[in-house]
Amino acid sequence: MTPTIRPAVQTLPASRIRDVANAAIGRDDVLAFWFGESDEVTPAPIREAAAESLARGETFYSHNLGLASLREGLAAYVSRLHGPVSEGRIAVTASGVTGLMLAMQMLAGPGDEVVAITPVWPNLTAQPVVQGARVRRLPLQLEGGRWCLDLDRLRQAVGARTRVLLVNSPNNPTGWTLTRGEQQAILEHCRSTGTWIVADEVYERLYYGSSSVAPSFLDLASDADRLVVVHSFSKSFLMTGWRLGWLVLPSGLLEPIGKLIEFTSSCCPVFVQRGGEAALALADEFVPSLRDRLLACRDRLVTGLSGLPGVVVGPPPGGMYAFCRVEGVDDSLAFAKRLVVDHGLGLAPGCAFGPEGEGWLRWCFASADPGRIDEGLRRLARGLAARR
């Protein structure tokens, strides 16, 4: 007899990106651009700080909310970017995705309505489903090759019944980024409806506009607002495997989030947090340099994709992904698998990010070697020629 589990968990779809990656198992000739990470290793000072912590024997539990020194450092870092935020609003989490799950555990439960702006990384919409909440999708619109938010549709979708609005900006996979005016309009509307905003802003430093950081709800909101902002060390500091993130919360929520952390992961490893402290110490120099390298990779990739027949793409204003549509492709998963098997090119299928992404492919351009991007473009060209 098959053991029974909760239907909400049983019916969760498997990762379509992992599905494509599995097609490359056992091969070392595949150029992989499917996951959201760079092919560069974590900077040496961060690795060394963690190693020194281990050598000192810092292998014991820490506070649920994180080391006081790291929380103070994060408060100073966030304050430099967005204005005063005290350590009394910071909780360290075992990755950004864990922070998102903790926020959802705290805010949404069975029967609650959660509205998510889509297409979006599938974990964001799966987490409220695990909690028993109902997810309504609010798709971005394509206008002149740019992804845009229809504020009137958002106001219609988000009402007094809406418990949480999920916003990922800069967005994975499209790169769409909220403007300051759009954030102000969303904040004012959610104040009127009593809706919580959970803002996934992990790509805020990978922004290619005139500012060094993408617009944040923290620029506008007060401590009294129903706002949880989620951050991660993974993207801006090349620390994907470290699993270290943080939350910015209203100050009154530290006690409940601390209890949830206790019941979920207890705490983050001290040596990982020491790596986070070292990352913050080099943020002012390293992060802008990384952003400039990614901008060069973005422009190189988008120019190459734009020259391929049947490919539609625009330069993303933020993030580390080019989201491109391939004319005639109505099964992005099958096409992505075909690119792996026949041409050794690993891209993420657009359907992984919801029905709005069908017919699209996501290409992570965070590469230390521009030659990898050029070779990937040649392989995609061969794949497109084979289709014709």
Side-chain angles (χ1 to χ4, degrees):
M1 180 178 177
T2 303
T4 57
I5 63 173
R6 292 178 56 225
V9 177
Q10 181 71 53
T11 57
L12 283 175
S15 169
R16 299 292 186 262
I17 303 174
R18 292 283 181 184
D19 200 0
V20 175
N22 289 343
I25 290 176
R27 294 179 56 175
D28 58 7
D29 63 331
V30 175
L31 286 177
F33 300 100
W34 40 47
F35 294 137
E37 62 180 355
S38 173
D39 52 16
E40 293 184 68
V41 300
T42 304
I46 300 173
R47 291 181 278 129
E48 291 163 1
E52 291 167 2
S53 173
L54 283 170
R56 290 194 300 269
E58 291 186 327
T59 58
F60 300 97
Y61 293 127
S62 72
H63 195 287
N64 296 136
L65 296 174
L67 295 172
S69 54
L70 177 56
R71 292 175 62 219
E72 290 170 2
L74 285 167
Y77 173 74
V78 174
S79 296
R80 288 199 304 273
L81 297 175
H82 304 298
V85 171
S86 73
E87 62 269 24
R89 297 179 60 191
I90 303 287
V92 177
T93 62
S95 75
V97 67
T98 300
L100 287 162
M101 189 65 184
L102 289 165
M104 205 51 54
Q105 289 173 334
M106 182 174 61
L107 298 177
D112 285 335
E113 179 181 275
V114 174
V115 172
I117 297 175
T118 58
V120 74
W121 188 44
N123 294 41
L124 269 75
T125 50
Q127 289 169 339
V129 171
V130 171
Q131 294 299 109
R134 297 177 294 105
V135 176
R136 296 181 60 206
R137 305 176 72 90
L138 178 64
L140 296 169
Q141 308 295 306
L142 266 175
E143 297 179 5
R146 295 175 56 251
W147 293 90
C148 302
L149 175 66
D150 187 328
L151 281 174
D152 289 335
R153 291 187 63 200
L154 182 139
R155 293 186 184 98
Q156 293 170 6
V158 176
R161 67 191 179 283
T162 307
R163 179 67 174 163
V164 177
L165 172 65
L166 281 172
V167 186
N168 170 217
S169 170
N171 173 261
N172 173 12
T174 67
W176 162 78
T177 303
L178 279 166
T179 66
R180 178 78 71 243
E182 289 169 335
Q183 286 177 330
Q184 184 69 61
I186 291 171
L187 186 61
E188 291 175 357
H189 181 70
C190 288
R191 284 169 176 164
S192 71
T193 61
T195 301
W196 280 89
I197 299 172
V198 174
D200 177 356
E201 298 185 356
V202 302
Y203 295 97
E204 70 164 4
R205 299 301 304 273
L206 307 183
Y207 176 60
Y208 311 114
S210 58
S211 171
S212 63
V213 61
S216 169
F217 282 101
L218 293 174
D219 300 322
L220 304 169
S222 72
D223 186 13
D225 278 307
R226 296 185 175 187
L227 170 70
V228 177
V229 178
V230 183
H231 281 290
S232 171
F233 283 85
S234 290
K235 312 303 180 181
S236 299
F237 298 99
L238 305 183
M239 294 175 67
T240 50
W242 294 68
R243 316 316 299 136
L244 185 63
W246 74 94
L247 298 173
V248 183
L249 308 122
S251 54
L253 294 187
L254 280 190
E255 181 181 355
I257 207 71
K259 289 187 285 189
L260 284 173
I261 292 172
E262 167 63 27
F263 301 144
T264 303
S265 60
S266 294
C267 60
C268 293
V270 173
F271 58 90
V272 171
Q273 296 186 66
R274 296 299 186 200
E277 291 178 338
L280 294 178
L282 53 83
D284 291 343
E285 178 179 352
F286 176 78
V287 176
S289 174
L290 174 64
R291 177 260 183 202
D292 289 346
R293 297 200 305 276
L294 292 184
L295 175 59
C297 289
R298 182 202 74 165
D299 292 346
R300 189 185 197 100
L301 176 60
V302 169
T303 298
L305 289 172
S306 298
L308 295 177
V311 176
V312 178
V313 65
M320 55 171 60
Y321 313 105
F323 203 47
C324 59
R325 185 174 64 215
V326 181
E327 293 179 0
V329 169
D330 55 10
D331 187 339
S332 57
L333 178 59
F335 184 54
K337 286 183 176 180
R338 182 57 55 199
L339 287 174
V340 170
V341 173
D342 291 349
H343 305 284
L345 177 62
L347 305 179
C351 64
F353 308 95
E356 306 87 357
E358 186 54 276
W360 295 71
L361 297 169
R362 190 195 72 176
W363 185 318
C364 179
F365 52 74
S367 180
D369 177 12
R372 291 184 74 248
I373 292 176
D374 294 340
E375 176 58 24
L377 286 165
R378 286 190 285 270
R379 296 186 186 191
L380 179 57
R382 291 196 291 270
L384 294 171
R387 285 187 70 249
R388 293 194 297 274

